[in-house]
Amino acid sequence: MEWLMKRAEELARKHGVDYYEIRLIKVTSRRLAMSNGQLRELSSNSELGVGARAFNGAWGFSSANDRERFEKAIETAMKIAKLSRGDARIYLGDPVRDEVELRVKKPFTAVDIEEALSLVKEIDGMLKGEKIVNRNVSYGDSVVETLYFNSLGSEIRTVVPRIRLGFSVTARENGSMQDFWKSFGGTVGWELIEGIDIDYWTSHVKEKVFELLRASSPPSGEMDVIADPELTGVFIHEALGHAVEADSVKNGDSILAGKLGEKIAVEGLNVVDDPTLPGKFGSYPYDDEGIRAKRVEIIRDGVLVNYLNDRETAEYFGLEPNGHARAESYAYQPLVRMSNTYVEPGDWSFEEMLEEVRNGLYMLGDKGGEVDTANGTFTFGAKLGYIVENGELKEPVRDVALSGKILDVLKNIRAIGNDTRVEFPGYCGKGQWVPVDDGGPHILTRALVGGLR
């Protein structure tokens, strides 16, 4: 570390670079995957690499995972920055010296990989059943240790553990095939695994996939929709969250450009992105530009009040930096990314929402989709749906999609539930993958509904 800091300083003087930042990252990880009782992956890896950036009105970047090339990577980043000279500006701020390790109750590093394998085998066995034609179980854990320093004098060391467990089933009957799955994860230890009721959740996944086999096709048209906490989280992450990433706004790829301070949603709607939430899958103490992670209110009482930003976009928009520059690994440049994105609770119970719906749908879970943040449109699939008639849940429907205009759906929200949950871990892609979490309460809105193609 000291040697790299000294050489970076010397190289910056040599190449006339005013600002640089170096990330030295060590990742220790394990992964197990099983399909239908067959072990597909059993790995334990450790990797050390450096990611170097330099700024000279434009960014230069280089990386290496060979100690002999660390210095070369730093110099290459500085050469690129010098050649790419631009007129952009970045937020600098004061130097930070800190050391943060996210603590866990029971380190998974103390758990033998044999125990993790036994867990995976146990779950695979519990997923067996009539009509089940495919079973998948995966487990992964990692410890990411980052040493960050920059030309301002910042020196930051962080240690972030992360663990994830997921399983899925595919069932077939009369030519129809359906899937259902469940995932768990967080910046915690093995206590996550010990707190999961495996009997309940494996039974739940099978019960829901069988229900999907019996389900009918959904109705189509504009109607009242109740979204469960998982679907609420997906909508907020995909439809709103990407639109408030400040690089998208700056590049003209967001319908929310120029709308700070404007009312874009129903009164009472509050949306937050918070990387400081304890134990969540998308949590971290500092971002990959050495900025302290901060809770960000995106929407307050229906008004757009902030964008998620990095050093460059914070300076561009005149905003306070909020620590949302994230990179998949040392080999990638940081981009503006979400962390844990969710809707804060309102006052409504689920039962009160149901009573409001005469003819509509209750939609559960996330089955993927697409968003056009520039035009403000979206389409999402739900894992499962139920017809709602006169305040009562009726028959299930499958292959159901929700679509519409982002701002219309936000303004059409009629009820916000009091049951917020942020417990739907996953990985978000934007040219590179980072761990995130999302959620919210049940919400009642109005949107277009139809079948998935």
Side-chain angles (χ1 to χ4, degrees):
M1 179 74 165
E2 290 76 12
W3 170 75
L4 274 181
M5 291 173 66
K6 182 178 179 181
R7 285 300 294 144
E9 190 175 341
E10 293 170 352
L11 290 167
R13 285 197 299 267
K14 175 182 175 181
H15 294 287
V17 170
D18 293 328
Y19 179 80
Y20 60 83
E21 57 186 25
I22 316 295
R23 289 175 292 131
L24 185 64
I25 300 177
K26 180 182 179 182
V27 180
T28 305
S29 63
R30 304 183 298 183
R31 176 169 167 78
L32 296 88
M34 179 171 284
S35 294
N36 302 318
Q38 298 297 312
L39 193 61
R40 291 190 295 108
E41 183 177 356
L42 176 60
S43 61
S44 179
N45 299 295
S46 183
E47 185 176 18
L48 177 67
V50 67
R53 288 209 304 174
F55 187 78
N56 193 32
W59 290 104
F61 174 77
S62 185
S63 66
N65 60 2
D66 180 349
R67 290 174 185 267
E68 301 300 318
R69 294 191 62 252
F70 284 2
E71 180 181 337
K72 184 68 174 177
I74 294 172
E75 185 168 26
T76 299
M78 292 180 178
K79 287 180 177 179
I80 293 171
K82 191 172 183 180
L83 290 170
S84 305
R85 183 185 297 273
D87 57 5
R89 299 172 62 189
I90 62 171
Y91 170 85
L92 295 176
D94 298 323
V96 175
R97 297 185 180 223
D98 199 5
E99 186 168 334
V100 182
E101 180 173 354
L102 299 187
R103 302 289 181 178
V104 303
K105 294 178 181 178
K106 185 175 182 178
F108 46 72
T109 51
V111 176
D112 291 336
I113 199 166
E114 290 84 1
E115 186 171 349
L117 179 57
S118 295
L119 169 73
V120 168
K121 288 179 177 178
E122 177 188 6
I123 293 172
D124 175 76
M126 297 173 75
L127 292 174
K128 291 179 179 179
E130 188 180 356
K131 302 175 187 175
I132 301 291
V133 295
N134 198 31
R135 312 181 306 276
N136 289 287
V137 187
S138 64
Y139 167 87
D141 61 45
S142 67
V143 177
V144 180
E145 181 176 0
T146 303
L147 298 173
Y148 171 97
F149 65 91
N150 64 21
S151 53
L152 303 173
S154 291
E155 296 178 30
I156 303 166
R157 175 181 177 267
T158 61
V159 180
V160 178
R162 192 168 273 112
I163 185 172
R164 189 167 189 254
L165 174 69
F167 44 87
S168 67
V169 292
T170 302
R172 180 170 58 200
E173 184 179 47
N174 298 327
S176 173
M177 295 183 67
Q178 294 292 327
D179 306 295
F180 207 85
W181 59 92
K182 178 62 181 174
S183 297
F184 307 86
T187 47
V188 292
W190 191 255
E191 66 270 14
L192 173 84
I193 304 300
E194 294 180 336
I196 298 172
D197 187 337
I198 301 295
D199 285 337
Y200 171 80
W201 284 110
T202 51
S203 296
H204 175 80
V205 165
K206 291 193 292 184
E207 174 187 320
K208 291 302 178 184
V209 82
F210 295 148
E211 192 169 8
L212 282 167
L213 287 176
R214 300 189 301 268
S216 58
S217 298
S220 60
E222 186 178 67
M223 63 186 67
D224 288 343
V225 173
I226 298 176
D228 81 328
E230 183 177 0
L231 187 57
T232 295
V234 170
F235 171 75
I236 289 300
H237 173 102
E238 296 289 354
L240 178 71
H242 284 298
V244 297
E245 291 172 335
D247 52 354
S248 295
V249 179
K250 178 175 177 286
N251 295 333
D253 293 328
S254 171
I255 195 173
L256 298 179
K259 293 188 180 295
L260 279 182
E262 292 187 15
K263 192 176 186 66
I264 65 166
V266 68
E267 188 172 330
L269 181 70
N270 299 298
V271 179
V272 171
D273 187 282
D274 189 358
T276 71
L277 283 179
K280 297 304 177 182
F281 200 62
S283 298
Y284 52 88
Y286 282 87
D287 77 356
D288 287 311
E289 290 185 331
I291 300 293
R292 184 86 194 191
K294 296 178 182 177
R295 178 183 185 274
V296 178
E297 287 187 314
I298 298 171
I299 295 177
R300 183 192 306 128
D301 207 16
V303 176
L304 180 66
V305 293
N306 217 333
Y307 298 135
L308 307 180
N309 62 50
D310 57 7
R311 286 184 183 269
E312 186 173 347
T313 55
E315 183 72 16
Y316 181 86
F317 288 110
L319 300 172
E320 179 184 351
N322 52 40
H324 280 77
R326 305 182 65 190
E328 179 178 330
S329 73
Y330 68 85
Y332 293 84
Q333 291 201 66
L335 302 174
V336 182
R337 307 301 299 273
M338 286 171 274
S339 60
N340 307 302
T341 315
Y342 61 97
V343 176
E344 292 193 316
D347 299 325
W348 288 66
S349 69
F350 176 62
E351 291 73 22
E352 289 171 332
M353 281 189 202
L354 277 179
E355 291 174 2
E356 288 289 306
V357 180
R358 304 274 67 82
N359 181 28
L361 276 181
Y362 175 37
M363 298 176 64
L364 297 86
D366 161 37
K367 204 173 183 179
E370 56 186 31
V371 179
D372 185 337
T373 56
N375 292 317
T377 59
F378 71 90
T379 299
F380 298 134
K383 290 179 183 175
L384 175 65
Y386 294 93
I387 301 292
V388 181
E389 291 181 356
N390 297 318
E392 294 184 355
L393 292 177
K394 299 294 185 178
E395 66 272 16
V397 292
R398 65 191 185 196
D399 303 324
V400 57
L402 176 75
S403 62
K405 295 183 178 180
I406 298 168
L407 297 182
D408 287 349
V409 172
L410 290 173
K411 290 175 181 176
N412 285 336
I413 292 174
R414 285 165 41 201
I416 302 170
N418 56 14
D419 53 352
T420 288
R421 292 157 51 202
V422 185
E423 50 187 50
F424 305 103
Y427 289 90
C428 176
K430 187 177 172 180
Q432 48 179 292
W433 297 91
V434 295
V436 296
D437 217 330
D438 54 47
H442 284 87
I443 60 169
L444 169 59
T445 187
R446 193 163 181 83
L448 287 171
V449 171
L452 282 172
R453 295 180 180 178

